Amino acid sequence: MVAVCLGLLLTLAGPAAAALDAAALAKLASEDANERMEAIDAIAAGGDEAAMRVLTALQDGLLRVTPKGQVFIKQRGSLLDALTGAAVETEPEDLAKISINNRMRSQAEGVMAGLRIFSTDPKQRLEAARAIEPDEKMLATLDKALARESVAEIRDVLEVVRAAPQLRSGDTGARLAAIARLAGSRDPKIKTLLLALLETDAQSRPLEPDARVREAAADAVRAIDRRLMGYDFAQRLFAGVSLGSILMLAALGLAITYGLLGVINMANGEMLMIGAYAAYATQS
C-alpha cells in the first residue's frame, strides 16, 4: 500500500502540484475503511504542502468535519479550512472529530515519508529516504527524486533503496547492475537481500537460474562481509586501546605512589573514578 501511495507522488515532478480534492477530504470521515484509505492516497497525490498539512493534522487528531462534509483543522484555539489553509473566524456548528486507526496511521506515515523526499530541508529528505521500504512500484518516484537530489549522502541512500527491488527484476542486466550497486553497502539488510539470490531448493538446486547473477551476488556478499569485518576489527581495536590506556594509568599511579611512599596507597583510584564519571557525563 505504501508503494502505491508513493507512486502517486510523481505529480511532484510536474510544473505545478495538483490541488487538494474536497471530495477526498470529505471521505476521510467516511464509515467505510476502504474509502478512507483511498482518500489518503488521493490527498497524497496532491504532493504539496497542503497535503502534508492535512495528513499531519490527521495523525495528530486535529481534523474536524461538518455534516455537509467540509473539513477543518482545529489547533491551539484556531480553525483553518483544510482545503485552502485559510483561517476561519466563526466555528461551524456540529463539528465532529475525524478519528484515525492504526491502519490509517501507518498508511499516512508512509505517504508522508514519500512527500518528504521532495522537501526543501535536506535533513527531512535524508530521514524520508531512510524510512522508505524498497519496492518495484517506487522506482519511478525514486528516479524523480534522484534527478532532483544534489546532496551526495541522500543520493547514496536513494540509490541503494532503488537498487534493492531490482534484485527481483526479470531482466538479468538489471539484477547485475543492482548487485554491483549494493555491493558497496554496509547495511546488513542488504546482505540479507543478496543472500536470497544464493538460496537453493530441497534438492540443493539454486533458485536463481542465472549463474552470472549467483556469482555476482556471492562476490557482493563476500565484499560486504570483508567491509563489516574491517569495521568490527576497528571497533574492537579502539575499545582495547581505550581499556588498555585506563589500566595503564591505574598501574602508573600505583607504581608512582608505591615508589615514593613505600606503601600501597589507593588514593589515585579516587581521581581515576572522578575522571571516569566526568568522561561518562561528557559523552552522555
Side-chain angles (χ1 to χ4, degrees), residues 196-211 213-215:
L197 298 175
L198 304 177
E199 293 180 351
T200 57
D201 58 16
Q203 286 74 35
S204 299
R205 292 176 299 187
L207 298 178
E208 170 56 50
D210 197 301
V213 174
R214 295 197 302 270
E215 182 179 355

Side-chain angles (χ1 to χ4, degrees), residues 203-278:
Q203 286 74 35
S204 299
R205 292 176 299 187
L207 298 178
E208 170 56 50
D210 197 301
R212 294 176 301 168
V213 174
R214 295 197 302 270
E215 182 179 355
D219 291 341
V221 170
R222 285 192 290 269
I224 293 175
D225 283 338
R226 288 194 298 269
R227 194 174 299 107
L228 293 176
M229 188 180 300
Y231 284 111
D232 183 65
F233 175 78
Q235 290 176 353
R236 291 176 182 271
L237 179 62
F238 179 79
V241 171
S242 298
L243 180 59
S245 63
I246 294 173
L247 294 176
M248 183 184 67
L249 288 174
L252 286 174
L254 288 173
I256 291 173
T257 54
Y258 181 74
L260 292 176
L261 300 177
V263 295
I264 297 178
N265 189 331
M266 297 299 294
N268 66 310
E270 299 175 4
M271 302 304 297
L272 186 65
M273 291 306 300
I274 292 175
Y277 278 113

